[in-house]
């Protein structure tokens, strides 16, 4: 390649605090790939202590009664919020699990976040919240288990389809919007626009649906000119809704190496001719 390639990622990444996705991209054999993160820190998490307390109170109740059927998590961020804001969260979760509740998650990253706390997962779905809801229904039907109450801590802006599917299947759902994600202006919005107009941007890596929506709000000029790499079906679905014109690539797995492979394929496509500058 005759021109440096630039990649935007929607996660903090710096030499002082390296991000695994940024590291994997920078480790590509092509030496002139530059990862930019500061300019695309687009969201801020705002936690609801009231909802965290409500979830904690119900966990304590079900730890005593054993009447809970499922506890579902759709993101690793939800688990981090609960673990940080709910005292004895791990103990409550383990106790409820021992009393017979099932724990279901979307994707390996969410499962890994729970396992890091020593909490086992009974059901892991791929894709979206809808996939998890359908997996829960199928799981119980295969075992002839009657529907029981579901505890669902989530983002306040999470898609409603998971709850709808479970409700239609007669599962009582207790929903806890324990946090929300707020769009903020890019830290270097002017620099971002200038870079897009004067350099070769190989791709943008979006790591969550909330980041996709924020990017559409603050930098719509990125679509459809720059390929967008997403980690899973939830983000791909969001991109299809908000920016159908975008060139979306779904990584084979939601891992740094899989994202780096996507970048590598994009760079190989451009090998042999001068990449286009700007948008």
């Amino acid at each position: 390649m005759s021109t440096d390639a630039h990649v935007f990622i929607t996660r903090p990444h710096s030499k002082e605090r390296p991000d695994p996705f940024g590291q994997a991209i920078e480790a590509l054999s092509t030496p002139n790939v530059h990862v930019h993160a500061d300019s695309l820190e687009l969201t801020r998490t705002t936690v609801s202590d009231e909802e965290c307390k409500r979830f904690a109170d119900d966990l304590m109740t079900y730890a005593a009664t054993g009447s809970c059927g499922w506890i579902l998590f759709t993101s690793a961020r939800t688990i981090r919020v609960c673990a940080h804001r709910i005292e004895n969260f791990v103990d409550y979760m383990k106790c409820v699990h021992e009393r017979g509740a099932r724990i279901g998650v979307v994707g390996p990253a969410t499962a890994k976040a729970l396992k890091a706390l020593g909490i086992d997962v009974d059901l892991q779905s791929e894709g979206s919240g809808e996939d998890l809801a359908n997996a829960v229904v199928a799981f119980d039907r295969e075992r002839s288990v009657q529907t029981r109450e579901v505890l669902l801590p989530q983002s306040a802006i999470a898609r409603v389809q998971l709850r709808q599917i479970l409700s239609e299947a007669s599962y009582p759902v207790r929903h806890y919007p324990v946090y929300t994600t707020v769009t903020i202006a890019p830290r270097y919005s002017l620099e971002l626009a200038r870079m897009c107009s004067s350099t070769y941007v190989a791709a943008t890596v979006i790591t969550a649906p909330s980041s996709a929506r924020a990017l559409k709000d603050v930098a719509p000029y990125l679509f459809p000119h720059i390929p967008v790499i997403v980690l899973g079906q939830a983000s791909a679905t969001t991109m299809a809704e908000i920016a159908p014109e975008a060139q979306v690539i779904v990584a084979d797995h939601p891992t740094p190496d899989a994202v780096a492979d996507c970048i590598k394929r994009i760079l190989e496509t451009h090998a042999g001719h001068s990449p286009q500058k700007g948008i």
Side-chain angles (χ1 to χ4, degrees):
M1 289 178 55
S2 59
T3 304
D4 288 1
H6 298 262
V7 177
F8 297 137
I9 63 174
T10 57
R11 295 162 64 108
H13 172 65
S14 64
K15 290 182 179 180
E16 295 75 23
R17 300 183 61 183
D19 175 80
F21 287 90
Q23 288 178 304
I25 296 168
E26 290 174 340
L28 290 171
S29 56
T30 303
N32 48 355
V33 177
H34 306 281
V35 176
H36 300 270
D38 283 349
S39 56
L40 284 186
E41 290 184 40
L42 303 176
T43 61
R44 180 179 65 249
T45 299
T46 302
V47 176
S48 170
D49 288 327
E50 180 181 350
E51 290 298 329
C52 286
K53 183 181 184 305
R54 196 164 67 88
F55 180 42
D57 289 344
D58 284 346
L59 281 177
M60 284 191 292
T61 298
Y62 292 125
T65 64
S67 59
C68 172
W70 284 92
I71 306 173
L72 304 181
F73 296 94
T74 57
S75 73
R77 180 178 295 184
T78 301
I79 294 164
R80 290 193 293 269
V81 166
C82 292
H84 181 68
R85 291 300 182 98
I86 297 176
E87 189 176 359
N88 300 321
F89 170 72
V90 173
D91 292 337
Y92 293 154
M93 286 291 300
K94 289 182 177 180
C95 185
V96 174
H97 201 199
E98 290 171 359
R99 295 297 302 269
R102 303 287 188 179
I103 298 174
V105 302
V106 173
T110 312
K112 183 179 179 180
L114 277 177
K115 289 177 181 178
L117 298 174
I119 300 170
D120 294 326
V121 171
D122 299 294
L123 179 64
Q124 177 185 318
S125 75
E126 301 300 331
S128 63
E130 297 97 299
D131 296 323
L132 178 58
N134 289 322
V136 165
V137 174
F139 185 100
D140 283 347
R141 285 178 178 171
E142 288 174 3
R143 293 160 179 75
S144 300
V145 175
Q146 293 184 341
T147 58
R148 295 181 295 168
E149 194 158 48
V150 174
L151 308 187
L152 179 61
Q154 270 190 318
S155 165
I157 60 174
R159 289 162 55 86
V160 301
Q161 282 79 357
L162 186 157
R163 283 174 277 159
Q164 289 178 339
I165 292 171
L166 291 176
S167 296
E168 290 169 1
S170 300
Y171 284 77
V173 179
R174 295 182 67 84
H175 182 237
Y176 313 88
V178 293
Y179 75 95
T180 191
T181 305
V182 181
T183 300
I184 58 177
R187 292 175 62 185
Y188 306 109
S189 55
L190 206 58
E191 178 185 330
L192 173 64
R194 187 182 302 115
M195 185 180 299
C196 286
S197 65
S198 62
T199 61
Y200 167 50
V201 180
T204 297
V205 180
I206 291 177
T207 55
S210 58
S211 295
R213 296 184 183 279
L215 187 60
K216 177 65 174 180
D217 288 343
V218 303
Y221 50 80
L222 291 178
F223 313 119
H225 309 281
I226 298 172
V228 176
I229 299 171
V230 299
L231 303 189
Q233 193 55 49
S235 292
T237 300
T238 298
M239 286 299 304
E241 292 175 354
I242 66 174
E245 74 279 11
Q247 308 169 49
V248 177
I249 301 169
V250 182
D252 292 336
H253 303 283
T255 63
D257 286 343
V259 169
D261 285 342
C262 291
I263 300 294
K264 184 178 180 180
R265 290 197 294 270
I266 291 172
L267 296 177
E268 288 172 348
T269 299
H270 286 277
H273 62 85
S274 181
Q276 179 182 359
K277 290 185 179 183
I279 58 176

